[in-house]
Amino acid sequence: MDPRRGRATRTASKAGASAPGVSARSSRGAPPEPTESPADPSTAQPGAGRRGSARKSGSQQQKSAPGSGDGTRVRAPGARAKKAPLRAEDPGGAALAGEQAVPAERAGSRRQGGARGSGEQRPPPRSPKVPSADAPVPAASLACRDAAAPRGCKLRAVLDKLRLSRPDTSAAAEVVNRVVDHLLRRLQTCESEFKGVALLRTGSYYEHVKISAPNEFDVMFKLEVPRIALEEYHNSGAYYFVKFKRNPKGNPLSQFLEGEILSASKMLLKFRKIIKEEIKNIEDADIIVERKKRGSPAVTLLIRKPEAISVDIILALESKSSWPASTQEGMPINNWLGAKVKTKLRRQPFYLVPKHAKEGNGFQEETWRISFSHIEKDILSNHGEDKKCCEKGGMKCCRKDCLKLMKYLLEQLKKKFENRKELDKFCSYHVKTAFFHICTRDPDDSQWCSKDLELRFDDCVTYFLQCLRTEQLVHYFIPGFNLFSQDQIDKTSKEFLSKQIEYERNNGFPVFDEF
């Protein structure tokens, strides 16, 4: 009997007993942390997606190519069985048309010592929820979900391939750090409007979820701007006009004012000009500033020797005021990391980056977008219910492994269809946001045992597909902001990505073996 079938009805509720301890992550596999390192800045309540009915036999299924309208497939050897499609018109799928669901309340008390008491009742399985910004409505059950996931050995082989080698990472970090240090000293020592900038260490490098190759880095330069007032742009919750409460003479940023508003476009233009001039003074380096991308908050450098490395430098305004009202119901980590951790994180500053809001066919170039990349780093660095999760002496979970695999899936699909525009607007931040919501739904470490990697990865894929179909991926910190709304990403693009992911899952993820 296929051992995977025994897990066909497995739920995400707490297990009857905790998994045995697993050895901690090898220190040899961890990337070195440079002194001045690059960083990568970047509601859903996920549908539980528990396993449903048993798989059909191979003779009952027909295989179809991605994008095909035929919903049936033939299972190739080692490929996944077909998952029943979710349709808004299905009797049980009405909630999948874009209605919001709230997280299921955690049944039972938190596990003590990892084992369930003999008299304690097992909590009922969580019903799937669908992300949206509307009123809470229960979602349809994924009744025909295939219990089989890609074999764990294949996924672990992929993770081994994604692991960054220490020598390569050290070499890349040394090159990038030298450039970043030079630019930082230039901005701090010369008379300029950006004299107070400092490096903000955030992103995938410090989160230890960077994949593939150390050839793309993000660096955030923060600049504290006290006594500012924010004016929300069109009730977006994410975009703001920045004004000074007082504007005394001598304020170095006063030249960037457009009336009373601190112009994001003017400030970014001057920041870009200084960097473009200064890279000419970096010795023994072949660096160019790439052409500005419309709507992008970054100044992108291309270091061409010894190997090509792309570095996005992002200017961020630091505000130590209370977080905006739009974030009040965001970051729902109470049942995952605890209310005390949430309170502590909300006391940290927040940042504003010069990313412009869409306005018709163009952009509102004076707006700033709120960023919580530093908070995301803290959450990923301390991701377990048990504070020792994945540390020496603690149990190894598969949370970060699932996130890496999801990032790699999107990365590979973008490579495969690089000549098409449908995937241009998707990025790793969408994957990370979906992942945070799944962690919120399933907060217990016992639900993320390392041995269950293939099942948990399948959960992540299922939820992300739900987000695409319902066009609902709510910002983790700003519940009123939908990252998959029509004005953010068009429906055609979401349908295209959904079909490609569905094809990959039904055929054993062949894209993992490409490129």
Side-chain angles (χ1 to χ4, degrees):
M1 179 177 180
D2 187 341
R4 294 175 293 178
R5 297 192 182 186
R7 293 201 294 266
T9 57
R10 180 181 179 274
T11 70
S13 59
K14 299 178 182 178
S18 63
V22 182
S23 60
R25 181 191 296 108
S26 169
S27 60
R28 291 176 294 178
E33 297 198 357
T35 54
E36 296 289 351
S37 170
D40 183 16
S42 339
T43 68
Q45 293 301 329
R50 296 297 162 237
R51 277 82 189 153
S53 59
R55 295 171 295 169
K56 298 178 182 180
S57 66
S59 61
Q60 292 176 306
Q61 301 172 339
Q62 297 178 5
K63 182 177 179 181
S64 63
S68 168
D70 188 359
T72 59
R73 294 176 172 85
V74 173
R75 251 177 80 204
R80 294 184 47 83
K82 174 186 175 293
K83 172 176 175 279
L86 296 172
R87 302 183 184 279
E89 64 267 26
D90 287 346
L96 295 183
E99 297 173 332
Q100 168 70 14
V102 295
E105 292 296 328
R106 294 177 58 201
S109 61
R110 191 178 292 267
R111 184 190 319 274
Q112 299 296 328
R116 185 185 302 278
S118 59
E120 183 182 351
Q121 292 185 350
R122 188 179 301 276
R126 294 180 178 89
S127 60
K129 308 294 180 186
V130 177
S132 173
D134 300 328
V137 179
S141 172
L142 299 176
C144 297
R145 175 166 176 183
D146 185 358
R151 291 186 180 275
C153 58
K154 176 176 179 178
L155 295 183
R156 296 186 192 286
V158 172
L159 288 169
D160 287 341
K161 181 172 66 173
L162 296 181
R163 187 174 293 115
L164 303 180
S165 73
R166 190 181 185 93
D168 290 347
T169 305
S170 297
E174 183 178 355
V175 171
V176 173
N177 286 339
R178 187 165 66 89
V179 174
V180 170
D181 288 349
H182 183 103
L183 295 175
L184 198 60
R185 285 195 303 271
R186 159 65 173 85
L187 291 167
Q188 290 174 338
T189 57
C190 298
E191 290 299 325
S192 79
E193 303 80 3
F194 307 101
K195 190 172 182 178
V197 296
L199 184 66
L200 180 63
R201 295 179 175 88
T202 63
S204 61
Y205 185 92
Y206 281 102
E207 293 165 355
H208 300 300
V209 291
K210 199 164 187 62
I211 60 172
S212 300
N215 57 5
E216 292 183 356
F217 294 95
D218 293 334
V219 178
M220 190 175 282
F221 283 176
K222 65 177 182 178
L223 180 64
E224 184 178 354
V225 280
R227 299 186 300 275
I228 60 172
L230 301 181
E231 180 182 316
E232 189 174 348
Y233 174 76
H234 286 187
N235 297 317
S236 64
Y239 295 95
Y240 293 86
F241 292 116
V242 176
K243 299 179 180 180
F244 289 107
K245 292 181 179 178
R246 285 180 286 173
N247 188 23
K249 277 190 173 183
N251 186 334
L253 302 182
S254 60
Q255 63 172 298
F256 302 125
L257 291 176
E258 190 71 43
E260 295 181 341
I261 296 173
L262 182 62
S263 170
S265 58
K266 284 185 177 180
M267 203 163 172
L268 182 58
L269 185 64
K270 183 63 179 290
F271 184 69
R272 179 183 179 86
K273 181 180 178 182
I274 293 174
I275 289 177
K276 194 171 183 177
E277 291 174 351
E278 191 58 29
I279 61 170
K280 300 174 183 177
N281 299 323
I282 302 177
E283 298 178 356
D284 303 324
D286 183 3
I287 310 172
I288 60 172
V289 177
E290 292 192 341
R291 189 173 181 177
K292 186 181 184 303
K293 297 176 183 177
R294 193 181 183 201
S296 171
V299 179
T300 303
L301 306 182
L302 180 60
I303 303 173
R304 295 185 287 195
K305 290 182 180 179
E307 292 185 3
I309 301 175
S310 177
V311 183
D312 281 350
I313 301 178
I314 300 173
L315 175 66
L317 305 182
E318 181 182 71
S319 174
K320 295 183 178 179
S321 303
S322 298
W323 289 15
S326 62
T327 68
Q328 190 63 40
E329 301 300 323
M331 194 171 62
I333 62 172
N334 286 32
N335 289 340
W336 173 20
L337 302 179
K340 289 183 178 179
V341 173
K342 181 175 181 177
T343 300
K344 179 181 178 182
L345 292 176
R346 285 188 64 89
R347 287 174 179 162
Q348 293 192 30
F350 64 91
Y351 295 89
L352 296 146
V353 299
K355 185 172 177 62
H356 313 314
K358 288 195 68 175
E359 191 170 63
N361 294 326
F363 292 91
Q364 168 51 259
E365 296 192 347
E366 312 310 330
T367 57
W368 299 76
R369 180 166 167 174
I370 194 167
S371 170
F372 296 100
S373 58
H374 59 308
I375 304 297
E376 292 160 9
K377 183 197 80 170
D378 285 347
I379 291 175
L380 281 174
S381 298
N382 303 281
H383 56 261
E385 177 190 22
D386 182 348
K387 301 307 178 185
K388 291 185 178 181
C389 182
C390 292
E391 293 183 359
K392 187 175 182 180
M395 187 180 77
K396 176 81 167 66
C397 80
C398 64
R399 288 182 179 93
K400 285 189 177 182
D401 287 342
C402 287
L403 178 55
K404 289 179 182 179
L405 289 168
M406 287 298 295
K407 289 176 64 175
Y408 189 55
L409 175 60
L410 180 60
E411 179 183 284
Q412 289 293 88
L413 288 174
K414 286 173 75 75
K415 286 182 181 179
K416 183 175 181 178
F417 299 102
E418 60 184 352
N419 294 325
R420 303 188 59 154
K421 64 179 182 180
E422 284 90 347
L423 302 186
D424 288 350
K425 294 182 180 179
F426 293 101
C427 64
S428 61
Y429 192 75
H430 295 125
V431 169
K432 183 194 286 188
T433 299
F435 170 75
F436 279 148
H437 289 306
I438 297 171
C439 290
T440 295
R441 182 198 68 195
D442 297 335
D444 298 334
D445 296 341
S446 61
Q447 295 170 299
W448 295 90
C449 291
S450 182
K451 64 182 177 62
D452 294 329
L453 172 64
E454 65 271 22
L455 299 176
R456 295 325 317 251
F457 175 60
D458 197 56
D459 283 337
C460 293
V461 172
T462 296
Y463 174 58
F464 196 69
L465 283 170
Q466 284 182 310
C467 293
L468 291 167
R469 291 173 184 139
T470 59
E471 300 186 79
Q472 292 285 339
L473 177 59
V474 179
H475 196 289
Y476 195 68
F477 297 88
I478 310 170
F481 185 52
N482 179 15
L483 296 170
F484 278 176
S485 64
Q486 185 65 28
D487 63 333
Q488 295 293 316
I489 303 178
D490 62 275
K491 186 177 182 66
T492 301
S493 296
K494 283 172 280 197
E495 288 177 344
F496 180 82
L497 179 56
S498 178
K499 287 180 180 179
Q500 301 310 322
I501 293 177
E502 193 67 86
Y503 171 79
E504 292 297 326
R505 185 169 71 164
N506 289 341
N507 292 280
F509 295 95
V511 77
F512 281 166
D513 300 321
E514 299 179 21
F515 312 106

